[in-house]
Amino acid sequence: MPVHVTLPAALLPLFPGAPRELELEAATVAEAMDALEARWPGMRDRLCDSSPAIRRHINVFVEGRRGALETALPPGSRLFIITAISGG
Amino acid sequence: MELDEQQFHRYARHLILDEVGEEGQEKLLDAKVLVVGAGGLGAPMLMYLAAAGIGTLGIVDYDEVELSNLQRQIIHGTADLGRLKVDSAIDTVTALNPGIKIVAHREMLTAENVAGLVAQYDVVADGSDNFDCRYLLNDACYFAGKTLVSGALLRFEGQISVFKAHQPGNPCYRCLFPEKPPADMIPRCSQAGILGAVAGVVGTLQATEILKEILGLGDSLAGRLMLYDALTSRFQSVKVPKDPDCPLCGSQPSIRQVA
């Protein structure tokens, strides 16, 4: 069963065709990042640093709880990715 | 402070709320709130806070009103083009409610002045448009023990939270976003756009949270981040735990002063 992913709205203009919400097959957050990178090259670099780790202005939430690259994604779970924004 | 007859009429719809009443309205009239930024978020915040009878409203901004602001910054009008936003905002809120005190801070927020500004107020609202201000306000509010009501916008999205890391167990903005993004990693509204009314939604939510904080009503957004997506007409809320390794409010902080 795929996982449901919500991408940061702020990044969508940078990746034409990327939807706000999508489904993909991944067992961990890291695998989800691999899948996103395969579809939209360059997206992983926007979300992860070279450590590798989630960038410090990005957060991932799995089923509403903050996660990291190694966090498991149970089948059917929701991965919510947000970025800091500064507009006022 | 006791309400006079005019105030009984002006605030009548507050007074009939059992949760507010005369005592609550007096709390609002005694409160001092600092709003940083008289832009998209500051506009609705200032107007609702003034209308609600916040006794002292401070406004920090050094920008002038530009034509491209008017699509969302409804505190300013076409006749205000070229004026300082602080002055334009003061005229609007004074017309709404001449019975409150407005304090103009016609200056840029800096590491040098932020502590002095924050110290003068009970609650601080972040309606700024850049990350430097967001971290300055977070750090200054933490050191001063002041509650920070934060809002941010981009395109069709808004983020709202309340930070009171000076109280045990509560996170600060750095617990959520430890560092600002590298330059050009995240577009600004001037680059990516903002649907005007989204600023109204988020700024009004900030004003509501400020009133709740002063009145001691309901559940605070402290420890949660609320996200509004105008395109899906959806609100989502995620828990923001305190980061024990936070460089500001963690157990071994490396940030000892605002810088």
Side-chain angles (χ1 to χ4, degrees):
Chain A
M1 182 187 283
V3 294
H4 186 89
V5 180
T6 303
L7 297 173
L11 292 190
L12 300 185
L14 304 174
F15 298 95
R20 178 89 160 109
E21 299 184 12
L22 69 149
E23 293 192 334
L24 50 76
E25 298 287 345
T28 62
V29 172
E31 285 186 22
M33 295 296 165
D34 292 342
L36 291 171
E37 176 70 14
R39 291 195 203 182
W40 296 285
M43 187 174 284
R44 179 167 47 203
D45 182 53
R46 293 277 169 173
L47 301 173
C48 305
D49 63 24
S50 55
S51 326
I54 301 294
R55 285 189 180 273
R56 290 167 71 76
H57 65 279
I58 302 282
N59 267 297
V60 298
F61 294 88
V62 178
E63 292 298 305
R65 289 183 161 271
R66 184 146 63 177
L69 284 177
E70 59 273 20
T71 303
L73 294 174
S77 60
R78 300 182 71 86
L79 171 62
F80 196 58
I81 308 172
I82 65 167
T83 178
I85 54 176
S86 66
Chain B
M1 175 190 288
E2 287 200 8
L3 302 182
D4 62 28
E5 191 179 339
Q6 278 286 319
Q7 289 173 320
F8 267 104
H9 286 297
R10 177 180 287 273
Y11 304 118
R13 299 301 183 272
H14 274 169
L15 298 178
I16 58 174
L17 290 169
D18 288 340
E19 294 83 352
V20 181
E22 200 170 332
E23 188 181 340
Q25 188 60 52
E26 287 169 1
K27 283 184 188 172
L28 298 179
L29 287 163
D30 286 338
K32 298 176 182 177
V33 176
L34 181 67
V35 176
V36 178
L41 294 171
M45 262 196 284
L46 287 163
M47 293 169 77
Y48 272 114
L49 294 174
I54 295 296
T56 303
L57 263 182
I59 311 173
V60 182
D61 206 307
Y62 66 97
D63 271 343
E64 296 175 352
V65 179
E66 298 178 9
L67 192 56
S68 63
N69 300 150
L70 301 185
Q71 155 259 23
R72 66 198 178 284
Q73 300 180 16
I74 58 171
I75 203 166
H76 314 297
T78 306
D80 297 313
L81 291 175
R83 297 181 68 201
L84 283 175
K85 287 185 180 178
V86 168
D87 295 335
S88 167
I90 287 175
D91 286 354
T92 302
V93 296
T94 303
L96 260 174
N97 190 348
I100 61 170
K101 180 182 174 189
I102 316 289
V103 183
H105 301 286
R106 300 177 184 87
E107 56 193 317
M108 181 188 285
L109 198 75
T110 66
E112 287 71 39
N113 67 10
V114 66
L117 288 168
V118 163
Q120 300 170 48
Y121 296 89
D122 305 317
V123 179
V124 178
D126 188 350
S128 67
D129 65 356
N130 64 84
F131 285 111
D132 287 340
C133 274
R134 291 182 183 278
Y135 286 94
L136 277 178
L137 280 176
N138 178 67
D139 297 358
C141 284
Y142 173 70
F143 288 125
K146 302 293 171 77
T147 295
L148 175 63
V149 179
S150 175
L153 306 167
L154 194 70
R155 288 168 51 79
F156 304 95
E157 181 189 1
Q159 298 179 354
I160 312 105
S161 192
V162 175
F163 298 105
K164 37 176 129 183
H166 51 282
Q167 294 180 4
N170 282 308
C172 75
Y173 184 71
R174 286 184 187 272
C175 293
L176 177 62
F177 299 118
E179 289 174 11
K180 65 182 179 182
D184 299 327
M185 188 66 89
I186 304 296
R188 299 176 62 160
C189 288
S190 56
Q191 300 162 312
I194 170 71
L195 188 70
V198 173
V201 173
V202 177
T204 303
L205 284 169
Q206 283 182 271
T208 307
E209 290 301 312
I210 291 166
L211 297 177
K212 283 169 56 188
E213 286 293 325
I214 295 166
L215 293 166
L217 290 181
D219 297 326
S220 168
L221 267 179
R224 286 186 293 151
L225 176 70
M226 181 183 282
L227 301 120
Y228 171 60
D229 182 353
L231 290 181
T232 57
S233 301
R234 229 183 262 162
F235 284 97
Q236 297 193 64
S237 178
V238 291
K239 286 184 183 172
V240 180
K242 188 178 185 73
D243 179 1
D245 298 322
C246 175
L248 180 70
C249 70
S251 55
Q252 293 183 308
S254 57
I255 299 171
R256 301 285 186 178
Q257 60 182 18
V258 179

